[in-house]
Each structure stands twice: as structure tokens, then as C-alpha cells.
Amino acid sequence: MEYTLATAFMHTLSNSIHLDPLSQPVGALAAWIDPAHAEDSVQAIARELATLGHPVMPIAANHVLIGAVSESTLLEALGIGTDKSSAVSVVMDPAPPTILVTALGSEALREMSDRSLDWMIVVDQRREPVGIVTPSRLFEIGGSREFH
């Protein structure tokens, strides 16, 4: 590809434009996560959440969201004495909050604010989970480089 003055201008312009995350689709903002399966153990899901640092694990069957396990779900499971080797389907929330991949960040912000949510599972039109959006993901696309 030839590097022309126009190419240099477009490169400079694209680097200087700050894209407002609230005007971007949540699919571009979401943290990707590979969903778990209903037969996975509660202990395996807890380990995965701790390792990844995500607040929730989507549960899918045939690539369709069927539930989720959050830190709150795990707290409740521990409180009632759920066997750690139990299938996660025993404790999962069958109707977790979701938002379409094409929804704007502003829609996610409004929904999370109205419903006092800390996260939403981002799904496509077939309800396949594609990621998680949290309030921190609505601040800056690609994360900040200011934190040291």
C-alpha cells in the first residue's frame, strides 16, 4: 500500500478522534468470555470467575444463553450449602440481564442505571452470548493507558 499524504492525514485523524463509548455498539465495548455449560460444576465456574476477574459467567447450550452465574449467585449457593460439585444449572439465574450486541453504550448505561445492574451479558440476535459489558467498559474504548 502506498503511503500518501492522504493516508498520513487519515492515520493522524483516526488517532486523534476520541470515540465516545456511549455512542458505540456494546459489542465493541464488551469483554469477551467463553460461556460455560449447564453441566459444569459450581466449583469450576467459581474458579473460572476468580481467574478471569469477570463478575459473571454466561451459561449456554447449543450456543444459546440459558442462564448465568454471578458472584451473587455463588454467594447464595455457598450460603445454602450447595455441593461444590453440583452442576451449575442447579444454581444459575435462568433470566440474567442481557443487551443486544448492536445496542449503543448509552442504552447499556441507561439500562444498568435504571435497573441498578453492575453487568449485562451481551448477546447477538440468536441469543448467543458474545461478552459482558460493565460500567467500567463504558468509559473508554480499548481501556486507558493512563493507569500505571
Side-chain angles (χ1 to χ4, degrees):
M1 181 166 110
E2 185 177 282
Y3 195 76
T4 64
L5 184 57
T7 306
F9 173 75
M10 290 306 293
H11 179 72
T12 302
L13 182 62
S14 67
N15 285 338
S16 66
I17 294 175
H18 174 73
L19 296 175
D20 180 5
L22 298 180
S23 67
Q24 301 303 307
V26 293
L29 306 172
W32 183 85
I33 187 168
D34 195 19
H37 302 96
E39 62 274 8
D40 291 336
S41 72
V42 173
Q43 184 171 17
I45 301 303
R47 185 180 311 117
E48 194 72 6
L49 285 177
T51 301
L52 296 173
H54 291 305
V56 65
M57 174 65 71
I59 311 298
N62 297 319
H63 306 284
V64 175
L65 182 70
I66 60 168
V69 173
S70 67
E71 293 289 347
S72 297
T73 309
L74 292 175
L75 182 62
E76 186 177 314
L78 281 171
I80 62 173
T82 302
D83 185 328
K84 294 176 186 175
S85 63
S86 295
V88 76
S89 59
V90 173
V91 299
M92 73 179 187
D93 174 0
T98 61
I99 190 163
L100 278 173
V101 68
T102 54
L104 298 180
S106 59
E107 295 172 64
L109 173 63
R110 186 172 30 259
E111 188 76 14
M112 285 191 273
S113 180
D114 288 350
R115 297 174 57 193
S116 298
L117 300 172
D118 293 329
W119 54 266
M120 295 180 80
I121 297 174
V122 180
V123 295
D124 66 13
Q125 291 76 5
R126 297 177 310 265
R127 290 199 42 82
E128 182 174 354
V130 296
I132 301 164
V133 67
T134 59
S136 61
R137 308 284 305 183
L138 301 176
F139 273 89
E140 185 171 346
I141 296 174
S144 172
R145 288 163 185 64
E146 298 172 16
F147 187 71
H148 300 284

